Amino acid sequence: MEETIPFKNLHNREYQGHKKKVHSVAWNCTGTKLASGSVDQTARVWHIDLHGHRCLCSMQGKIKDIELKGHADSVDQLCWDPKHADLIATASGDKTVRLWDARSGKCSQQTELSGENINITYRPDGTHVAVGNRDDELTILDVRKFKPIHRRKFNYEVNEIAWNMTGEMFLLTTGNGTVEVLSYPSLQPLETVMAHTAGCYCIAIDPKGRYFAVGSADSLVSLWDISEMLCVRTFTKLEWPVRTISFNHTGDFIASASEDLFIDISNVHTGRSVHQIPCRAAMNSVEWNPKYNLLAYAGDDKNKYQTDEGVFRIFGFESA
């Protein structure tokens, strides 16, 4: 598998549009659009033209992006409807969650919650959205009515949240080094996974449904068998707290990033690092395209005047 992808021959491209740093990047379900959320209080949707197959992608013409304006604070995280290529949800520090149509750039729904929202994720069937805030409160919204159907306040630090592929389990990474596994929709506790010796920051679900991965403040990424809840292996290339992780579309590679000045790409099955993408700043978000080996990433990049560049990049093109 490793030999079939010539990572070392691939290039990245830079996308500029935001006025301040980009916190979150996410691909839509068809892999044709990428959204970026920024400290500048906007999200942007970029139409990425993909030609060819596997990594053999080129882009034609000028990239046109659509600005999603309306939030009154940083857009901390965003996610696309897993069943609709043009619907996107954003979570902001302004306490609101908004649903947008990426074709028109219009906000179609919004709801105000109780605190500063930092996390958002869709259930894989597209019916519910989970939102986490700075006060460790979880809200589940029914997407059709865009109204809360569950609220739960936790007495521990909740960092990132995810459903498994079937939507029957809900996972939370905590500041205690655990992953709390809840059944869904009851939100009853199923298991506490003692994952790391330091806080668990981020979580990713293998698209094939076999594993989940956890990135921790101890600089390790751990890989877990989701049916057994057992640790399969760890990835040890990073030296700083792991901020963001993502599986590629086949589930064979995992990207992880931190304050280290590179993004690591490792083989999921062997644990070996197969490529490192150099970067100039701490990373906030990495996400693989759902169809191709294209990795979007964004961080705290600054220009020579020490102001935010407001860029993100995509790695995996055969030409620069």
Side-chain angles (χ1 to χ4, degrees):
M1 179 67 201
E2 285 173 39
E3 282 51 58
T4 62
I5 296 175
F7 284 120
K8 66 179 188 301
N9 302 333
L10 300 176
H11 301 270
N12 69 38
R13 294 185 184 167
E14 188 175 290
Y15 300 81
Q16 208 146 16
H18 287 288
K19 295 178 180 66
K20 292 187 176 166
K21 69 183 175 189
V22 177
H23 261 180
S24 180
V25 286
W27 295 93
N28 71 348
C29 59
T30 54
T32 55
K33 289 181 178 179
L34 188 124
S36 52
S38 168
V39 177
D40 71 9
Q41 307 183 2
T42 71
R44 284 177 181 263
V45 174
W46 310 73
H47 200 289
I48 311 286
D49 272 329
L50 311 173
H51 300 281
H53 62 284
R54 215 181 53 190
C55 305
L56 310 181
C57 305
S58 63
M59 290 170 58
Q60 293 179 334
K62 182 90 180 76
I63 315 290
K64 193 172 156 341
D65 64 313
I66 292 175
E67 189 177 50
L68 309 182
K69 277 177 86 154
H71 281 298
D73 202 340
S74 172
V75 178
D76 277 340
Q77 206 173 24
L78 37 74
C79 60
W80 292 85
D81 185 322
K83 300 291 184 198
H84 196 305
D86 287 301
L87 296 182
I88 183 167
T90 54
S92 169
D94 67 7
K95 298 188 178 180
T96 69
V97 178
R98 292 173 185 242
L99 207 55
W100 310 78
D101 186 315
R103 292 160 299 199
S104 64
K106 298 269 188 296
C107 174
S108 57
Q109 301 260 37
Q110 73 175 70
T111 187
E112 185 161 327
L113 302 179
S114 61
E116 292 180 40
N117 303 307
I118 52 172
N119 277 319
I120 189 162
T121 187
Y122 263 94
R123 194 173 184 213
D125 66 1
T127 56
H128 296 163
V129 166
V131 185
N133 72 18
R134 281 196 198 285
D135 306 318
D136 308 313
E137 187 173 23
L138 172 73
T139 305
I140 311 278
L141 300 169
D142 176 304
V143 172
R144 265 177 332 143
K145 303 191 179 83
F146 221 59
K147 294 269 187 294
I149 51 172
H150 297 290
R151 273 209 178 88
R152 173 78 59 90
K153 178 118 165 70
F154 296 95
N155 57 2
Y156 46 78
E157 178 187 307
V158 174
N159 288 317
E160 203 165 29
I161 51 181
W163 270 281
N164 70 339
M165 291 305 286
T166 64
E168 297 164 314
M169 272 191 317
F170 192 77
L171 299 95
L172 310 102
T173 60
T174 81
N176 310 330
T178 65
V179 178
E180 300 297 331
V181 184
L182 312 179
S183 74
Y184 196 82
S186 72
L187 295 180
Q188 292 304 306
L190 289 175
E191 191 149 2
T192 295
V193 179
M194 309 296 275
H196 288 267
T197 54
C200 295
Y201 284 166
C202 48
I203 187 164
I205 309 289
D206 155 38
K208 298 286 185 258
R210 304 160 296 185
Y211 307 115
F212 65 91
V214 177
S216 167
D218 63 14
S219 84
L220 298 175
V221 174
S222 58
L223 181 75
W224 297 80
D225 180 307
I226 207 161
S227 55
E228 308 279 339
M229 290 293 164
L230 292 172
C231 185
V232 181
R233 63 183 53 84
T234 56
F235 305 89
T236 59
K237 269 287 178 258
L238 299 174
E239 292 181 10
W240 288 84
V242 184
R243 292 178 168 202
T244 174
I245 56 179
S246 177
F247 285 96
N248 81 325
H249 66 287
T250 61
D252 293 310
F253 295 100
I254 188 165
S256 55
S258 63
E259 291 173 55
D260 291 273
L261 295 183
F262 63 88
I263 297 163
D264 181 64
I265 299 175
S266 286
N267 183 303
V268 168
H269 312 294
T270 65
R272 280 218 307 276
S273 176
V274 295
H275 189 68
Q276 292 179 356
I277 304 168
C279 39
R280 299 204 301 257
M283 285 293 112
N284 296 319
S285 183
V286 298
E287 190 166 288
W288 288 99
N289 183 291
K291 305 272 193 255
Y292 300 94
N293 285 310
L294 291 171
L295 183 74
Y297 57 98
D300 295 343
D301 297 74
K302 292 194 183 315
N303 62 21
K304 63 185 179 192
Y305 307 110
Q306 288 306 299
T307 56
D308 288 354
E309 276 193 326
V311 301
F312 67 88
R313 293 177 180 85
I314 301 173
F315 169 82
F317 293 106
E318 62 167 1
S319 65

